[in-house]
Amino acid sequence: MSIIQVEHLTKDFGHDRGVFDVSFTVEKGEVYGFLGPNGAGKTTTIRHIMGFSRPQVGRTLVNGMNSWESYHEIQKTLGYLPGEIALPDSLTGTQFIKMMAELRKMTDMTYTEDLIKKFELEPSGELKRMSLGMKRKLAIVTAFMHDPAVLVLDEPTSGLDPVMQNIFIEFIKTEKKRGKTILLSSHIFSEVDATCDKISIIKDGRIVSSFVADDLRHSKIKTFKIEFTSKNEFEKFQKNHSNLEKTRVPYELASVKEQRNQANVHIDDANINEFIELISGYNLKFFSEIKFSLEDYFMSFYDKERKVNTL
Amino acid sequence: MFNKTIFKQTFKSNYKLWLIFTATLCAMLILIISRFDPIKINSMVDMFMSAFGDVIGDALSGIGIISLNNMLSGTFYGMLAIVLPVIFVVLTANGLIATQVDKGSMAYTLSTPIKRRTVAATKGTYLITAVLCMFLVVSLVGLATVQVTQGNVFGTAYTADVKDVSKEFGWDKATVANDLTIILENSAAVTKGAEARKIDEDVYRLYLQQKIENNTSTNQNTMTPEEMMEFQQKFLAGITAAAEVLDTNVAGLTANLAKIKNNALALEAAAIAANLVPKETLALAPNEEVALEMQKTAFVGVINAQLVSKQFMLDEGLNFSVQDYLTLNLGAVLLIFATSGIAFFCSCLFNSANNSLALGAGIPVAFYLFQMMSGFGEGLEFLKYFSMNTLYDPRAIVSGGTFWLQFIVLGIIGVVLYILAVKVFKEKDLPL
């Protein structure tokens, strides 16, 4: 059974703001990345999963229960880390943790103590005097303290220092190994890349791409950059390319830079030997693979937009 | 529907505001009650009457004697006990829900298995409890202050003369109050007592005698209405004549009858004009001078009777009705409860703390202003139908008007608003 199901979720705030027909499912034990820039609709979607908002169209389910109707049941096995950290001012960190434990009817605090140690949290001070990073850590502890099976994390590492970010990413990985189901919304590629099994990219309230992260990491099509030693060689390559194009080429010419005598090519792993044979006939300055990253993939959706805008 | 943890946390972050407002209210109440002196305040009204009597005419005549209940209904329960608690409930209600939704800290409470209904109902319960406790404390402090400073919650009230005389001669107040002959038989005590009451000794003696005879009904009304009318007309004619002699106005002089007694010319003019002595009695007078003396004596007698009756009214003014006082508090609680319903509803309805505060405070303030303006004149009287505050009328409570129906309406308004508030919070989208 899918743990989190978002089905045709639509919430129109007007002026093209909101989320439109968003659908995805998170299976048990998966870490699901929800990637998009600020204002794309990540938090709106999460609000529906948490039962804070009522969908206009569609529905969201957690453990098969409707978020809007059974939000209080869902919360028993769910941990939520809000995107914006707004803690009640009048309490100290310790009082806040105690209050959350009481609201969740927790009695055993050993796991909570472990988390406090792991994240080097100093909860004794007043919340309003805490630094943003400390508040973040406190929010993380309260999201995980009841050891929930499902986690909804909205931009969890923003406000953490790089060391703490790494600790958090490692923590997510171990939680995943323990069988937790995690929905992680983010605009930081590294943390999504490092942790997620599946990824959806959301843009202007619509999902533009959903894919398995490993497919992207181990793509069979690779991109290489080639620079020729001279203008002559470069022109020879281009000329041969136009001739060969009529029959068959073992690569796809992606782009060229005339001034630098450079060309970018996409090559399928199956054709790599054929390509090396072909390219060995030229005088090359260098030949290197361009690592394809999630960031490039993500940016490609926005670059398209930018090109359309500039025309 | 109720969660102990949420209540505890709500209490912790809100009790300071409650303490500040409750302490301020209590301090004001203590000040007002302990400074209350029926003789002083009523002679102030008299002074006001003599100074502006002809300007305001009968406008003040409706006030009568100001009792402690009366005075509290006008000052404390007419204004302070409304304005301060309204500010308190508006601030508190806004902080309970709207601020937390606006800031986002509500997200933590709602990421636990607590129902929204329970969150709103628990916070509403805190607000209601805070209002009830505030007025409970204020009522008790008020009663205690009345007991300590005036001594009339339990047992007899001590009038100014009893207090002063007892102090002067080292007597026990209760003994003196129970047996006023102690004063009457001691001329020094009479002088002191008359001074305390700010009246002439002869009037004071008369007052004491009547009081000892337990003759509280000052007018032995054996006259028919026609005779009464005639008598009043005669008396008024006398005062008018005296006013001319003293070059003052009638209303002012009526408030200060002792002036006539102290001025021979005025008294003579008044006595002649009033002509109170029946013809048959007058016929017995051997000469004109004796007849005039008889007229004068009769007029002074009437003045004294009036002055004594005023003293009795002042004593009544000192009377304190615990029931009226508690009813004043009950009405104030109900009005504040209904007002807190408005503020709490706004807090549950709006996601922005500013909007919640604007309406949650705006509506109660508008109600207060409408009620105030409706008293300014006939043209603005219709405004009272646009104000919930009109339903709490402290004057009606102390002067025997109707108020129970209004109380019930206030209670219903409050209950309905709280129920709607919880419902609207349960159903709305939260930006968390």
Side-chain angles (χ1 to χ4, degrees), chain A residues 171-199:
Chain A
F171 178 63
I172 291 294
K173 284 179 181 167
T174 52
E175 286 293 288
K176 184 183 156 188
K177 274 184 203 138
R178 292 176 64 208
K180 301 293 177 71
T181 308
I182 301 171
L183 176 67
L184 190 149
S185 125
S186 181
H187 54 217
I188 299 166
F189 303 104
S190 58
E191 73 183 23
V192 174
D193 210 9
T195 54
C196 293
D197 302 311
K198 284 186 194 161
I199 296 162

Side-chain angles (χ1 to χ4, degrees), chain A residues 13 119 152 291:
Chain A
F13 295 127
F119 287 103
V152 176
K291 272 278 185 191

Side-chain angles (χ1 to χ4, degrees), chain B residues 209-224:
Chain B
Q209 277 158 10
Q210 283 194 21
K211 189 129 183 174
I212 290 161
E213 286 161 29
N214 204 10
N215 194 357
T216 38
S217 65
T218 47
N219 277 332
Q220 295 125 317
N221 247 333
T222 49
M223 285 189 270
T224 64

